[in-house]
Amino acid sequence: MHLIKLIFKNSFRHKLRTFLTILGIAIAILAFGLLRTVVSAWYAGVEASSATRLVTRNSISLVFPLPLSYKDKIRQIPGVKIVSYGNWFGGVYIDEKNFFPNFTIDPKSYIALYPEIVLPADQQAAFIRDRKGFVAGRKLAARFGWKIGDIVTLKGTIFPGDWEFVMRGIYKGRDKTVDETQFFFSWDYLNESLKKTMPARADQVGFYMIGVTSPSVAADVAAAIDKTFKNSLAETLTETEKAFQMGFVSMSEAIVVAIQLVSFVVIIIILAVVANTMAMTARERFVEYAVFKTLGFGKWHIALLIFGESLFITMTGCVIGMILTFPSAKAFGNEMSTFFPIFNVSTETLYLDIAASVFVGTASAVIPTWRAINIRIADGLRRIG
Amino acid sequence: MENKPPIVSINNLFKSYRRGHQVLPVLEDINLDIADGEFLALMGPSGSGKSTLLNLIAGIDKADSGSISVGGIDITHLSETELALWRSNSIGFIFQFYNLIPVLTAFENVELPLILTGLTKKERKEHAEATLQIVNLTDRMDHYPGQLSGGQQQRVAIARAIVTDPLILVADEPTGDLDRVSAKEILELMERLVHELGKTIIMVTHDPRAAEKAHVIKHLDKGVLNNV
Ligand SMILES: Nc1ncnc2c1ncn2[C@@H]1O[C@H](COP(=O)(O)OP(=O)(O)O)[C@@H](O)[C@H]1O
Ligand SMILES: [Mg+2]
């Protein structure tokens, strides 16, 4: 027999109480894990962005376009490798609730600039060749059961009318941070239609995406671009893609902060639950601790018993909660794929789970241990009679 | 035998409790020698300080003044940590309410004090089993306290008290919670420990039948010790 065995036996002394405490911890860790995953899903777009890419937009606001003529001027700036461009299209597929991000882009340069968008060579060629072609992410195609060759119609919101496209490819993400729910079609298709219907809106792009030769020149290139178009009709604002995404994300920063706050409140709640369990447990066992001391066991032995039990219960709940997080995140992610295209439980979240549980298990044991150690043996024994 | 020094020697011992501003004297100028191998009964009315005296001898409470030497060591000068170590190999306790650990089997309860010794697992097992044999409970070794009668539990507790082969055994009303038959059994066992194994026992009791078994009976009344 060893004291570790006693910790284990002690933990299951009140089976129902221990079971409920473990259940509480497991649910809290599950909730904590999901909330943290929501937060990281929010920032996933930022994570995915490359440090060698810049985004140039109209300095007034993203809703104002830039002339297509900037393309060649940007290309001439030293440090620029690739220039691509596009527009947020904002089309609706059948019904608004079918929302997915859809962009119009220049296929050739876009594919060159975004190696994380993986498209088979034959599909790339077909996409570039067919003006009315589009490609969709694997998840998006699966969601609506689209197959190559299918005709899909989007109703334009920013650009009125019904827009018909032919599916030419399905892309995969190179890694988990790539959004596989996007829809891309050829910028030329949009532009040529606009020339016929709304010539005033033709030859304008929503944003430029620029590949630079190395991350170290990114800041200089960005400054050079903005300087080039200073005092022109459409002044530009160039940022790294990361900063650009951050700008998007920070619009909802308040919500993210709220979620983060709630996730910590959850931890405080389980701290209260476990602390209560440990306080009850220790109070019931004061006589026993006095007996242990009488037998010559010291404060470290008693601390080991109480901390051990507290941590054993907490970590059991933690492990169960962590295991449950994976299927839950998967189900949640599928359900919410329009809002969170990327919804993976990160290693960091698991570390946070463990850290929070160790904190809860340790903190809950402090006061009971202090009391058990400081009670005078004679008083402890007297409690019986 | 008369020349051997006493195993317990108490001199001018005082002990009081403080309740707020009030000082409540409990033991007043106690002097007592206990010989090695003696079976001593400590009697007296409730609240006379019997448990307090026993606790002081066992090193789980602190005296105001005076000295208590056990096996030649004056324990009034030991620190908390030193006392804990000293208790673990010098004192065996027997409580009125047995105080076994309910989640441990009889065997594990007896083994418990041996965890603090340097014995190997195998040696601990041998010691614990041999001791359970002495109290005649080998067949109940794997039972939990809740599955044992009061008398059996007290026998396990006695085994736990003697398993480390301590200098003295102290017992605070060991039969106080038992029926007559079980009480008789326990007293006979304690008698055997003294006669056959040469143990020294200091026992607090109310029960005249228990006191009968003792070699020496001391009477404590209002904190003052008298011979009987
Ligand atoms: N921790 C304590 N604080 C205050 N008074 C105490 C404490 N412990 C014991 N006493 C008092 O000391 C006296 C002796 O107690 P005790 O030794 O338990 O008596 P006995 O065992 O003879 O019944 C009693 O009056 C009791 O109320
Ligand atoms: Mg008493």
Side-chain angles (χ1 to χ4, degrees):
Chain A
M1 220 240 346
H2 195 264
L3 285 186
I4 302 291
K5 187 175 174 191
L6 182 57
I7 289 172
F8 189 75
K9 286 183 160 200
N10 271 340
S11 301
F12 290 105
R13 219 141 143 175
H14 286 273
K15 290 196 180 57
L16 181 65
R17 185 199 294 168
T18 302
F19 169 77
L20 290 174
T21 307
I22 289 177
L23 183 73
I25 298 161
I27 291 171
I29 286 295
L30 172 62
F32 180 77
L34 287 178
L35 291 170
R36 300 301 314 179
T37 305
V38 167
V39 173
S40 31
W42 208 279
Y43 287 109
V46 179
E47 220 108 280
S49 56
S50 158
T52 58
R53 288 195 295 250
L54 301 173
V55 177
T56 300
R57 59 173 171 100
N58 191 302
S59 70
I60 302 167
S61 159
L62 200 55
V63 300
F64 292 98
L66 294 169
L68 182 62
S69 58
Y70 283 14
K71 183 177 73 176
D72 292 327
K73 287 186 190 145
I74 293 173
R75 211 195 312 269
Q76 279 157 24
I77 291 169
V80 171
K81 206 164 74 178
I82 306 170
V83 180
S84 188
Y85 48 94
N87 275 84
W88 170 253
F89 183 67
V92 172
Y93 178 59
I94 306 172
D95 191 293
E96 278 193 27
K97 75 173 187 345
N98 291 333
F99 173 87
F100 50 83
N102 49 87
F103 298 92
T104 171
I105 43 106
D106 173 53
K108 211 169 180 167
S109 57
Y110 190 86
I111 289 165
L113 190 57
Y114 287 86
E116 63 263 46
I117 302 275
V118 180
L119 195 62
D122 56 325
Q123 295 181 14
Q124 279 186 28
F127 180 37
I128 292 166
R129 209 182 312 118
D130 183 359
R131 214 144 256 209
K132 294 180 83 171
F134 80 94
V135 296
R138 187 169 55 167
K139 283 187 191 160
L140 181 64
R143 182 173 163 204
F144 296 113
W146 294 334
K147 285 177 295 297
I148 296 195
D150 281 3
I151 291 175
V152 170
T153 305
L154 298 189
K155 186 194 275 294
T157 52
I158 304 167
F159 306 98
D162 282 339
W163 300 75
E164 204 170 77
F165 307 98
V166 185
M167 188 176 224
R168 291 299 175 202
I170 297 175
Y171 75 84
K172 273 194 299 205
R174 188 183 50 193
D175 47 61
K176 282 181 163 188
T177 58
V178 176
D179 183 355
E180 291 182 332
T181 69
Q182 301 174 98
F183 180 108
F184 299 107
F185 69 92
S186 189
W187 189 82
D188 286 347
Y189 177 34
L190 172 74
N191 199 44
E192 262 147 48
S193 310
L194 288 177
K195 273 181 181 162
K196 284 178 227 152
T197 55
M198 290 175 279
R201 293 182 69 180
D203 288 335
Q204 296 193 325
V205 305
F207 44 86
Y208 286 97
M209 296 157 279
I210 296 136
V212 296
T213 48
S214 87
S216 60
V217 301
D220 289 343
V221 172
I225 293 170
D226 291 345
K227 202 169 147 231
T228 306
F229 304 111
K230 192 133 189 95
N231 300 321
S232 70
L233 218 53
E235 291 194 352
T236 59
L237 175 67
T238 305
E239 301 167 303
T240 61
E241 194 175 278
K242 202 159 193 146
F244 179 73
Q245 296 275 14
M246 275 293 204
F248 255 158
V249 168
S250 65
M251 289 193 275
S252 311
E253 190 85 5
I255 297 170
V256 178
V257 169
I259 292 172
Q260 249 160 342
L261 219 77
V262 172
S263 73
F264 288 112
V265 168
V266 167
I267 298 303
I268 302 297
I269 292 170
I270 46 165
L271 175 61
V273 170
V274 179
N276 180 52
T277 298
M278 288 317 296
M280 273 159 72
T281 301
R283 197 171 323 125
E284 287 163 5
R285 295 190 199 149
F286 266 152
V287 177
E288 256 169 63
Y289 296 134
V291 171
F292 269 101
K293 285 193 192 175
T294 307
L295 295 178
F297 286 88
K299 38 180 174 269
W300 292 107
H301 294 108
I302 293 183
L304 175 72
L305 287 177
I306 302 177
F307 274 87
E309 183 171 347
S310 183
L311 281 167
F312 174 76
I313 290 176
T314 322
M315 294 326 285
T316 305
C318 172
V319 168
I320 295 172
M322 287 192 334
I323 291 170
L324 291 178
T325 308
F326 287 93
S328 311
K330 196 161 182 159
F332 189 83
N334 288 342
E335 207 54 43
M336 308 290 279
S337 63
T338 44
F339 298 105
F340 303 113
I342 298 144
F343 202 79
N344 301 313
V345 182
S346 68
T347 326
E348 196 193 326
T349 298
L350 297 180
Y351 287 146
L352 276 174
D353 282 344
I354 293 170
S357 303
V358 169
F359 165 72
V360 166
T362 311
S364 302
V366 171
I367 292 173
T369 303
W370 187 82
R371 283 211 198 132
I373 285 175
N374 284 299
I375 191 164
R376 292 177 56 249
I377 301 176
D379 292 341
L381 293 174
R382 202 171 283 277
R383 286 198 183 201
I384 324 161
Chain B
M1 195 135 137
E2 287 84 53
N3 300 337
K4 263 180 84 179
I7 190 127
V8 177
S9 180
I10 300 172
N11 291 295
N12 312 108
L13 185 73
F14 285 82
K15 171 74 179 172
S16 56
Y17 286 110
R18 240 153 240 109
R19 231 180 245 148
H21 296 292
Q22 231 182 324
V23 176
L24 187 81
V26 178
L27 298 175
E28 283 181 82
D29 199 13
I30 303 286
N31 290 281
L32 174 68
D33 281 353
I34 302 167
D36 193 5
E38 192 167 288
F39 188 175
L40 180 138
L42 197 55
M43 299 188 75
S46 184
S48 57
K50 304 183 296 294
S51 296
T52 304
L53 180 56
L54 201 68
N55 289 346
L56 287 170
I57 295 171
I60 59 175
D61 207 347
K62 282 279 187 185
D64 295 349
S65 64
S67 70
I68 305 166
S69 97
V70 180
I73 296 172
D74 186 354
I75 60 165
T76 51
H77 295 307
L78 299 182
S79 71
E80 285 281 328
T81 318
E82 288 167 335
L83 270 177
L85 183 66
W86 174 80
R87 279 196 305 272
S88 71
N89 48 48
S90 308
I91 298 287
F93 285 86
I94 302 161
F95 306 93
Q96 180 176 357
F97 298 101
Y98 337 125
N99 282 339
L100 300 173
I101 308 300
V103 286
L104 299 181
T105 62
F107 171 81
E108 289 167 337
N109 266 289
V110 176
E111 194 195 0
L112 194 59
L114 296 177
I115 289 177
L116 294 172
T117 66
L119 297 181
T120 65
K121 199 181 155 102
K122 188 162 160 279
E123 289 167 334
R124 293 205 303 260
K125 186 171 189 293
E126 285 165 4
H127 275 63
E129 280 176 359
T131 313
L132 279 161
Q133 182 106 51
I134 295 173
V135 300
N136 215 345
L137 273 178
T138 312
D139 54 335
R140 297 295 163 96
M141 203 151 82
D142 297 321
H143 285 51
Y144 287 93
Q147 299 167 323
L148 299 172
S149 72
Q152 288 169 331
Q153 286 189 57
Q154 195 60 301
R155 272 149 66 195
V156 175
I158 290 173
R160 178 177 68 183
I162 62 174
V163 73
T164 54
D165 194 19
L167 280 179
I168 54 172
L169 291 177
V170 296
D172 197 344
E173 306 199 24
T175 57
D177 197 47
L178 295 175
D179 60 76
R180 264 176 64 178
V181 179
S182 303
K184 192 160 169 281
E185 253 174 47
I186 293 298
L187 287 167
E188 279 164 6
L189 173 58
M190 292 174 73
E191 228 181 351
R192 261 179 57 214
L193 295 179
V194 174
H195 290 144
E196 293 171 22
L197 302 172
K199 302 285 176 195
T200 307
I201 299 182
I202 307 160
M203 173 177 68
V204 166
T205 188
H206 264 110
D207 180 0
R209 263 185 297 264
E212 244 169 49
K213 304 276 183 187
H215 306 155
V216 185
I217 300 175
K218 296 279 176 177
H219 219 273
L220 198 58
D221 202 355
K222 295 186 184 116
V224 181
L225 202 58
N226 302 300
N227 286 326
V228 175

